[in-house]
Amino acid sequence: MTTTELDLFNWQKWKFHENDYWIDSFVDTLKRIDYRSTSKAEFIKQYEAKNIPVMITHVTDLWKANKHWTDEYLLKHYGSHLFKVGDDDDNKNVYMKMKHFLHYSSHDGLKDDSPLYIFDSGFYKTSRSKKKKNSLLDDYQVPKYFEEDLFKLTGERRPPYRWLVIGGARSGTGIHKDPLGTSAWNSLVRGHKRWCLFPPNTPKELYDPPMKPYDHEGISWFDQVYPRFKKRLADGQTLGEKWGMVEVLQKPGETIFVPGGWPHVVMNLDLTAAVTQNFCSSTNAEYVYLSTRHSRPKLGQKLYREIQKLGKYEPEKYAHVAKSLETTQYIPQLPPSSSSGSSSTSSSSSSSSSSSSSAENNRPSAKRKRKFIMVSSTDSETDREDGTCMCKKCKFKRKRKMARRNAAAD
């Protein structure tokens, strides 16, 4: 592990904290449905099967997180635990202790252009590590709409799929599509999040152009790209209206459903705490498989085999899913579900390989590391068709081995 100091000027250079990024509620036109009165079958028929985003109210009403995910509770019970806040310039995970993160969020983070952001897929390991009576995993329940979890069939090859998300104003996730064709849900316990979503047919060059400073970060997108979608065209429409851009103001207690293939960008408007998960279900299994077999061939093969087994063991429930995957064998491979970058929702996440959640790539760069940040190596989740492991550890080992060979040759 290494630690380095931070150049405060670089973190607060653009003075984004002086701008107002809040939106009025009337701008948010996303439909709301009541979790208490909308059945799972109705949700699947009206929204998941049609690949339509929707906001769900009252999902979190009985969650322990409503009481537990406060600064006081987190500081008391998890103050010394490390949580991921980004990747450095060497693609290593960057961690902070919760107590240092909370102090940062209430001090320097209030003025940083793009603040650090906890977006941690290993939070369940942290909460279980010392056998706590109350775990972060115990603080929430997966909504009934999203209980099906076909990716668990892949065992050890399973990519990260759930994240604890905590961050202050202006932190967020850059524009991206969720990995491997998965859909996602994001439940907000405290604070407010601002979203923009685009239908899958929206040209990438429109929603994801080069951005300076901090390419591919949420704050850069809302500061530079969003205004373009509000300009009127010759026909009187805005560019956003033409392409069906959906604006959302997510409030505490609300859960958003983001269908697979929808590019989206998220920015926190104040200090937020949320949990998000990506999923593969019977409804989206075909699209997930087609996306996965391109980006992660071995994982795609494993998913295919296991679903075929399910089709035999539980034909009433899964025979049609197995058959739909079988019929895709002659369909050309789909391009990666997330172009240059990946999660879900990160301080400054950049788009990365489609195999990891967009939000998994939280920046800061090495030049921006604070003295309380810890850095360690990390794995990615991509492998090549020839079987070569493309995790960051293995790539580093191969690079070092090649350097030794070259040195010996000289």
Side-chain angles (χ1 to χ4, degrees):
M1 292 187 179
T2 62
T3 58
T4 57
E5 293 289 348
L6 165 72
D7 181 348
L8 286 175
F9 176 74
N10 286 334
W11 283 67
Q12 301 175 4
K13 179 177 180 180
W14 303 101
K15 300 187 183 301
F16 286 146
H17 69 278
E18 296 179 355
N19 301 335
D20 183 4
Y21 295 102
W22 281 77
I23 56 173
D24 292 321
S25 296
F26 70 82
V27 177
D28 176 357
T29 57
L30 187 64
K31 184 174 181 179
R32 260 80 174 165
I33 61 173
D34 192 322
Y35 185 68
R36 300 168 299 181
S37 58
T38 306
S39 68
K40 181 176 181 178
E42 184 179 356
F43 169 80
I44 293 174
K45 180 180 179 181
Q46 295 299 325
Y47 302 101
E48 187 182 5
K50 295 180 180 180
N51 216 45
I52 296 175
V54 68
M55 191 69 78
I56 311 159
T57 62
H58 297 289
V59 170
T60 68
D61 285 358
L62 302 179
W63 286 11
K64 296 178 183 178
N66 293 316
K67 294 181 178 179
H68 290 180
W69 292 5
T70 64
D71 289 0
E72 296 76 15
Y73 184 91
L74 294 173
L75 184 61
K76 178 180 179 180
H77 294 275
Y78 301 99
S80 296
H81 288 270
L82 290 170
F83 292 86
K84 183 181 176 184
V85 295
D87 295 327
D88 70 3
D89 286 342
D90 298 321
N91 290 320
K92 293 182 178 179
N93 285 348
V94 178
Y95 294 88
M96 287 183 79
K97 289 184 177 180
M98 178 63 77
K99 61 184 177 182
H100 296 148
F101 177 80
L102 293 175
H103 181 270
Y104 158 80
S105 297
S106 60
H107 291 80
D108 290 338
L110 296 176
K111 291 187 176 181
D112 282 351
D113 293 327
S114 183
L116 294 172
Y117 187 20
I118 289 178
F119 210 106
D120 193 338
S121 63
F123 72 94
Y124 65 96
K125 299 176 184 176
T126 298
S127 61
R128 293 292 190 189
S129 61
K130 293 188 178 181
K131 299 181 180 179
K132 287 182 172 293
K133 184 176 294 186
N134 294 315
S135 158
L136 290 169
L137 276 181
D138 298 329
D139 288 343
Y140 74 95
Q141 296 82 43
V142 176
K144 60 188 176 185
Y145 305 151
F146 313 116
E147 290 173 333
E148 190 174 32
D149 182 16
L150 295 180
F151 254 134
K152 70 181 180 182
L153 300 172
T154 61
E156 294 181 357
R157 287 191 171 275
R158 182 190 189 133
Y161 69 101
R162 57 186 173 194
W163 294 266
L164 175 70
V165 189
I166 303 175
R170 297 177 309 286
S171 63
T173 306
I175 190 76
H176 67 282
K177 295 180 182 179
D178 281 336
L180 305 180
T182 56
S183 298
W185 58 269
N186 183 305
S187 289
L188 185 60
V189 175
R190 60 185 285 198
H192 300 76
K193 289 179 180 287
R194 182 180 178 182
W195 297 68
C196 278
L197 303 91
F198 295 88
N201 65 336
T202 309
K204 187 175 187 296
E205 60 269 21
L206 289 181
Y207 67 76
D208 191 15
M211 291 168 267
K212 300 294 181 182
Y214 313 144
D215 200 17
H216 292 295
E217 294 190 20
I219 182 63
S220 299
W221 194 94
F222 280 104
D223 192 74
Q224 299 176 40
V225 182
Y226 173 78
R228 305 178 194 177
F229 283 93
K230 303 304 287 186
K231 290 182 178 179
R232 295 286 170 185
L233 305 174
D235 61 4
Q237 280 187 313
T238 65
L239 186 64
E241 290 169 343
K242 177 180 179 180
W243 289 102
M245 178 178 75
V246 178
E247 295 191 61
V248 183
L249 177 61
Q250 186 182 16
K251 305 178 187 69
E254 293 188 326
T255 298
I256 188 171
F257 164 64
V258 181
W262 278 70
H264 53 282
V265 57
V266 192
M267 182 171 64
N268 296 316
L269 298 175
D270 48 14
L271 186 60
T272 65
V275 63
T276 182
Q277 293 192 185
N278 290 78
F279 65 91
C280 173
S281 67
S282 296
T283 306
N284 68 0
E286 183 176 319
Y287 181 61
V288 170
Y289 167 66
L290 288 171
S291 301
T292 302
R293 74 175 188 180
H294 180 102
S295 300
R296 294 193 58 189
K298 287 187 175 180
L299 179 65
Q301 293 168 12
K302 177 76 170 178
L303 182 65
Y304 179 84
R305 291 195 301 268
E306 294 303 318
I307 290 180
Q308 294 306 311
K309 292 179 184 177
L310 268 185
K312 294 179 180 179
Y313 297 148
E314 301 181 56
E316 301 83 4
K317 190 173 182 180
Y318 290 108
H320 70 288
V321 183
K323 183 64 176 178
S324 70
L325 264 60
E326 187 177 355
T327 60
T328 65
Q329 296 304 295
Y330 301 102
I331 297 178
Q333 285 190 338
L334 293 178
S337 59
S338 179
S339 55
S340 62
S342 84
S343 219
S344 178
T345 316
S346 91
S347 142
S348 333
S349 125
S350 48
S351 302
S352 81
S353 132
S354 63
S355 58
S356 64
S357 163
S358 67
E360 271 293 87
N361 289 311
N362 309 319
R363 190 183 46 86
S365 68
K367 298 175 183 177
R368 291 169 40 106
K369 284 179 284 181
R370 294 185 176 276
K371 69 177 181 179
F372 293 124
I373 291 177
M374 301 296 184
V375 183
S376 68
S377 62
T378 182
D379 292 340
S380 65
E381 295 77 36
T382 315
D383 43 18
R384 291 201 310 228
E385 293 188 32
D386 63 2
T388 302
C389 178
M390 295 300 289
C391 80
K392 293 169 187 175
K393 285 183 180 178
C394 290
K395 285 192 287 187
F396 180 75
K397 288 180 181 178
R398 287 195 295 271
K399 191 174 182 180
R400 188 167 54 183
K401 187 175 181 180
M402 182 62 68
R404 285 199 297 264
R405 286 180 179 174
N406 292 338
D410 293 339

